[in-house]
Every structure is written in C-alpha cells, then in structure tokens.
Amino acid sequence: GNYTVTASVTDGLGRTFTASGTIAVWDTMGLSFKLPEFSHPDEMVKVKVISENVGDSNVEWSLTVDGQPVSLPAGIAGTLDNAGGSVKFNQTGTNVLTASVTDGLGRVSTYEQTIEVYPVPHLKLTADVSTHTDEQISVTLEKDTALPVAWSVTPSNDPGDPAAYSGELSDNGGTIQITSAGAYDISASVTDATGRVFAAPAVTVMVYPVAGLDFTLPAAAWTDSSTPVDLLTSGLQDRDVTWTLTKDGAAVSLTGSMLGDLGNLGGKVRFPEAGTYTLAASAADTLDREYSCEQTIRIYPVVSLSLSASNIGHTDTAEDVELITENLSSNEVAWTVLRDGAEIVPPFALNETGGRGFFPEPGLYTFTATVTDELGRVTAATASIQIYPVGMSGFYLPHMFHTDS
C-alpha cells in the first residue's frame, strides 16, 4: 500500500515543526511450476503455473537445451502464458524451462525446471512375404537408435506362443528358418531409459510346406501291356500336373506315342511301340516353385509264333514243319516233340524257321515251339501231323495151270 511517515519536533517556546514523506510498498511476487522428470518429443507436457502477486505483469518464458539458449518456437510446440499451457518439447537433451516476471519497480522473480527429453526411435521392419519350410527368411531392420533390439516371432493365430525357428536375429535383422507351415508375425522393439517401448509394425510371413509329387512305373513291360500310373501329391491341391514323354532320348508327343489319358491323379497307359520311354510329371505350387518326377520304362515287343505242318504223312515221305516268327530278336526257339503223347528226340533238325525231314516211325507227332523273351514271358505254338506206315501189296501165280483150273 501507500504509507505516509511524519516526523515532528517542538522547540523551547512550544513551537512545533513537522516533516512528512510518502512511500508505496509493493507485494513480493512469487511463481512456480512443475515438469515431469522426462518426456519425448511426441508427448504433451502440461505446465501449470502457481503465482502470487503477479497482477497484470506478464510471465516471460525462456528455454535452454544442453546449456544452449533455444527460441521457444524452435524448442517447443504449443504456447505458454501466465497460467502455463500444454506443450511438446521438440529437441532431445536436457531442457531447462525458465519463467520470469518483473514488477513495477523492476524487480525480477524467476523460476526454472529441468526436464530430460529422450528421442523417439524410428524402426522399419521388412521380411520375405512368403517362403517354404526348407528356405531361409530374410529379415531387415532399419533404425536410428543404438538401443538393443528385442525380437518376437509368433504364429499369427496365437500371438502369445513364441514360434520355434533356427537362425539368428541381431540389431539389424538376419536370416531365420521356420520348419512348420503357417502364418507367422515377426516384430522388433526397443526400450529406452524411461521404460517406453517402441515397436516396428509387425510383418507377416506365410510359410508353405514343401510339396511332393511322385509316381512309379515298372522297369519293363510289353507293347500289349496296360500300365497304371498312380500319381501321389502333397501340398499341390488344385494344381494342374503337366506330363511329358521321351522315347529313346527324344521328346515325343503323348498322343502320338502313348495310348490312354493322364491327369492330375495319373491314369492308365499303354505304349504300342518298343523302346525306352521316360515319363515325367511336373506341377508348381502357390509360390510357383516347381516339383517334378520322372520314371523310365523299357517296352519290349510281343513275340509271335505261328507253327504249321501237314495233317498226314508217311514214313517214306519228307515233311515240312514251318515256323513263322515276329519280334524274335535274339531269343532262341526251344522245340519239343511228342509221338503219341510221349516226348521223343526230334526226328530231324529244327531251328527258328522249323525244319524238314522223314518220320521213321508212324504215329501222331506233336511239335511245340517255345520262346522265352527277356522278361520271362513265354510264347508257344503247336502243330500236329499223323504219320502212317508205308503199306505192302503183291500176288502169287503158279508156274503153270490148266484152262479149267
């Protein structure tokens, strides 16, 4: 308030002398505010000022970062007035915020608070979108912090259960392998000194099983054989199978060299011509990884025999036994001869075309020609001839006789 001080003195004659003066007394101003111990540039900090006797005086704000003065527009986002305000501290480091107020007499009151501002790390995670259980997954982490990285690999449908994998993930990523098919989420995070966790957006990797494709063929067959082709697949559902064929090392068309149809489950085929065939099946999975299987089969011709002989003959007449063969190749012809049901030594020489000769004794002769091919298949032909003995005839006359005898 305003105070008047008066002094007076009375002399010996009783006369009084006075003097007075006026003084204005101002209240002492005070102000304070609080800040949290730490913050981040993306966090809002509330500054609430507690003041006394400030009146219409303006509170002036100033800022230093790591001991260097920084303008408020550069150092904070938001505004501060006599009541404080809500702001974000833009610059990392030790921030000292100071509030000061000057009264009408020029007396300055100040108050300051320190807050440690930590950086906001940025993490970017990339990984292969899809792979197979026998392949590596490449994981790359881009970051602007030296904080240690914590990794998480979990099934997408069970994020609380860590997935088993081989390989290593370091601060910048790495390569891993997951041997169980499914969808997996890979995430990376860092934790700063304040305990705040910063995580990169998780990436999902689809791990597909290694598919399979297989069929079998016998090692050999004949041109008249139907051969089943049973195709077994795994992980290739609804995928088309492509069939190709080679004969004696040269590519040939399926329709021109094979009878029958082959589809996604196989089929039944016959190879009408002799030769060495290689049949191949191939299919691609969802990731266009190709799987194939091939089998080789040797096709042998079917040996054909036709044996013929006369129906009847005589012991004094040479007879022909004729053998006509197809696809005999180097196979040998085995002969058996029966006479009246009992096996005998052939009466004359026989070879791959038959033979010609005499039958020394009468009887029913049965000739059988037999060929056993490379695969053990037996082909036989039979012909019979009835041999009769040579008859004898004559007559006797006396040397002389009479007309009436």
Side-chain angles (χ1 to χ4, degrees), residues 160-392:
D161 184 20
Y165 64 88
S166 60
E168 183 178 354
L169 293 172
S170 62
D171 282 353
N172 295 315
T175 56
I176 61 173
Q177 182 178 351
I178 301 174
T179 56
S180 297
Y184 294 86
D185 294 332
I186 302 176
S187 61
S189 63
V190 296
T191 303
D192 68 5
T194 71
R196 180 176 171 182
V197 177
F198 301 87
V203 295
T204 299
V205 178
M206 190 67 192
V207 179
Y208 289 88
V210 177
L213 181 147
D214 188 37
F215 69 93
T216 58
L217 287 178
W222 296 276
T223 54
D224 64 347
S225 303
S226 290
T227 302
V229 181
D230 297 323
L231 182 65
L232 302 177
T233 63
S234 62
L236 294 172
Q237 291 77 7
D238 302 323
R239 311 300 292 184
D240 289 333
V241 177
T242 300
W243 295 90
T244 58
L245 182 67
T246 65
K247 177 187 177 185
D248 298 328
V252 293
S253 68
L254 294 175
T255 56
S257 300
M258 183 185 75
L259 302 177
D261 294 321
L262 291 174
N264 291 347
L265 298 178
K268 182 176 287 188
V269 298
R270 182 167 72 88
F271 300 96
E273 296 182 2
T276 299
Y277 294 83
T278 299
L279 183 63
S282 63
D285 65 11
T286 305
L287 301 183
D288 290 331
R289 178 172 175 176
E290 188 167 296
Y291 303 86
S292 63
C293 175
E294 66 177 33
Q295 295 289 338
T296 298
I297 183 172
R298 174 77 181 273
I299 300 298
Y300 288 86
V302 176
V303 176
S304 174
L305 301 178
S306 177
L307 186 61
S308 61
S310 300
N311 291 329
I312 60 175
H314 294 84
T315 55
D316 65 345
T317 303
E319 298 290 342
D320 289 314
V321 177
E322 184 180 7
L323 178 64
I324 300 174
T325 65
E326 290 183 11
N327 303 318
L328 182 61
S329 186
S330 60
N331 298 306
E332 294 183 356
V333 179
W335 291 91
T336 57
V337 180
L338 303 179
R339 185 179 70 233
D340 297 329
E343 185 174 354
I344 63 171
V345 176
F348 45 81
L350 297 169
N351 55 31
E352 65 273 9
T353 60
R356 177 180 174 84
F358 291 91
F359 294 88
E361 297 182 26
L364 177 63
Y365 288 80
T366 301
F367 290 81
T368 300
T370 303
V371 174
T372 302
D373 69 7
E374 296 92 332
L375 303 183
R377 180 172 177 173
V378 177
T379 303
T382 300
S384 297
I385 181 172
Q386 180 70 51
I387 299 298
Y388 292 96
V390 177
M392 298 185 67

Side-chain angles (χ1 to χ4, degrees), residues 126-144:
T126 57
D128 297 328
V129 175
S130 55
T131 187
H132 293 90
T133 54
D134 64 344
E135 296 173 332
Q136 298 284 327
I137 302 171
S138 177
V139 182
T140 302
L141 179 63
E142 301 176 28
K143 57 187 178 66
D144 57 2

Side-chain angles (χ1 to χ4, degrees), residues 74-113:
I76 64 172
T79 58
L80 293 170
D81 53 23
N82 283 16
S86 295
V87 297
K88 293 180 180 179
F89 290 89
N90 296 332
Q91 299 189 20
T92 59
T94 302
N95 284 242
V96 178
L97 182 63
T98 301
S100 62
V101 63
T102 304
D103 63 15
L105 299 179
R107 185 175 180 179
V108 179
S109 295
T110 62
Y111 187 84
E112 67 180 28
Q113 280 277 290

